[in-house]
Amino acid sequence: MAGLSLQHPWAFAFGLLGNLISFTTYLAPIPTFYRIYKSKSTEGFQSVPYVVALFSAMLWIFYALIKSNESLLITINAAGCVIETIYIVIYLAYAPKKAKVFTTKILLGLNVGMFGLILLLTLLLSHGQQRVVSLGWVCVAFSVSVFVAPLSIIRRVIETRSVEYMPFSLSLTLTLSAIVWFLYGLLIKDKYVALPNVLGFTFGVVQMGLYVFYMNATPVIAGEKAAKLAAEEENHVVVNVAKLSATPERISCSDQVHPVTEMAATVVVAGAAVPTTCAAAAAQEPEVVVEPAAVRVAAAV
């Protein structure tokens, strides 16, 4: 079998290594879903990356079956299908109704509708080697679109001068995965496996370079927030002086003058009842969840 034959020992080695690296990348979101399970809430996390990862794994399994003798592609993407399905089930169990409906729609549209359409068109409109070629280019096109997705993260890092949303370990793992799968595709002479990983390697190197460049930089957003909070504090002082002169017998929590560090933790929720104490106000503040960089598909692409 291709990749397993003794005539391709290096292909087998790189394919096996690619399975191991990609498997660890599939497991990367476990802390996120453990947090969802513990809190019984999705806390603003998105389901799209996991639905897309499931679709990619399904697509590559179909390609491997059509081409035949691609066991190493099947094993890692079969594992990916199982893991991503578990993630999606957990997400649906704890997501609010609106998020459940949205996730169900994209599951039906992408993983059922789009995949079913690709399957039917491939089987009905092409035959033999032409079927492999057609499906191979479909896989390449989808993989390229997945690798282009992190451009938004790169732009965000440059604009904010912050690497908060782009963990270095994830960029490194995905870069190594792209290198390994490129070499695997090159050795078995499969351009549909090799080509997308050239782009994956390029974006991975760019992300790691940006991380090194901006890891010690002062975030732009932090500076803007500090200036805004300073202006708000000054406004509080002016308003409080007027209120103190008018009604000295009553000072509410909102009338108190807070230092910038304390004000930064204040969240104003429209329509919420005003607590009787500042401590109560702090206790009622909702947690703002920021998910790390979008999870790229950790499949053999």
Side-chain angles (χ1 to χ4, degrees):
M1 292 187 295
L4 292 178
S5 172
L6 293 178
Q7 298 178 358
H8 303 86
W10 283 107
F12 171 75
F14 282 115
L16 185 60
L17 183 59
N19 270 252
L20 293 174
I21 295 175
S22 296
F23 185 74
T24 59
T25 309
Y26 272 127
L27 297 180
I30 284 181
T32 295
F33 285 91
Y34 180 73
R35 177 176 178 173
I36 290 174
Y37 169 75
K38 293 290 289 184
S39 65
K40 310 299 181 185
S41 170
T42 54
E43 302 181 348
F45 288 108
Q46 298 297 314
S47 62
V48 175
Y50 312 104
V51 175
V52 171
L54 176 61
F55 176 76
S56 176
M58 293 167 59
L59 199 59
W60 281 104
I61 288 177
F62 183 39
Y63 170 78
L65 292 173
I66 292 294
K67 185 180 179 183
S68 73
N69 299 328
E70 284 293 352
S71 298
L72 290 174
L73 285 179
I74 294 175
T75 53
I76 183 57
N77 287 292
C81 284
V82 173
I83 294 171
E84 298 300 337
T85 300
I86 292 173
Y87 290 157
I88 293 170
V89 169
I90 295 174
Y91 184 89
L92 289 173
Y94 298 110
K97 183 177 180 180
K98 187 176 180 180
K100 286 182 180 178
V101 172
F102 175 74
T103 301
T104 303
K105 285 181 178 179
I106 60 175
L107 268 173
L108 293 175
L110 187 63
N111 299 72
V112 177
M114 180 65 73
F115 181 77
L117 181 63
I118 292 173
L119 187 148
L120 288 175
L121 292 178
T122 301
L123 296 178
L124 295 177
L125 301 182
S126 58
H127 303 277
Q129 186 61 27
Q130 183 59 38
R131 182 176 292 170
V132 176
V133 173
S134 301
L135 186 58
W137 283 115
V138 170
C139 291
V140 169
F142 180 77
S143 299
V144 168
S145 66
V146 169
F147 280 126
V148 168
L151 284 175
S152 60
I153 299 299
I154 293 176
R155 179 181 177 184
R156 190 170 192 176
V157 170
I158 295 174
E159 290 178 345
T160 63
R161 298 175 61 84
S162 171
V163 295
E164 178 182 1
Y165 309 106
M166 193 177 67
F168 182 83
S169 58
L170 182 59
S171 298
L172 176 61
T173 303
L174 292 169
T175 302
L176 292 176
S177 179
I179 293 173
V180 170
W181 283 113
F182 168 77
L183 293 173
Y184 174 79
L186 195 65
L187 289 169
I188 65 172
K189 299 179 181 179
D190 190 331
K191 61 185 176 183
Y192 308 114
V193 174
L195 282 177
N197 287 289
V198 175
L199 192 60
F201 169 76
T202 303
F203 281 126
V205 171
V206 170
Q207 287 185 7
M208 289 189 294
L210 285 175
Y211 186 94
V212 172
F213 187 78
Y214 287 112
M215 63 181 182
N216 295 320
T218 301
V220 174
I221 289 182
E224 292 177 351
K225 284 185 177 179
K228 184 178 179 181
L229 290 171
E232 289 178 355
E233 183 183 14
E234 183 178 353
N235 291 335
H236 271 285
V237 172
V238 174
V239 173
N240 288 335
V241 169
K243 287 186 177 181
L244 285 172
S245 61
T247 54
E249 71 280 5
R250 181 182 179 184
I251 304 177
S252 67
C253 180
S254 62
D255 294 333
Q256 297 177 20
V257 180
H258 302 276
V260 173
T261 54
E262 183 179 347
M263 291 174 63
T266 304
V267 178
V268 179
V269 181
V274 178
T276 56
T277 66
C278 293
Q284 293 185 8
E285 293 175 359
E287 182 181 3
V288 180
V289 178
V290 179
E291 192 168 7
V295 178
R296 269 192 276 160
V297 180
V301 295

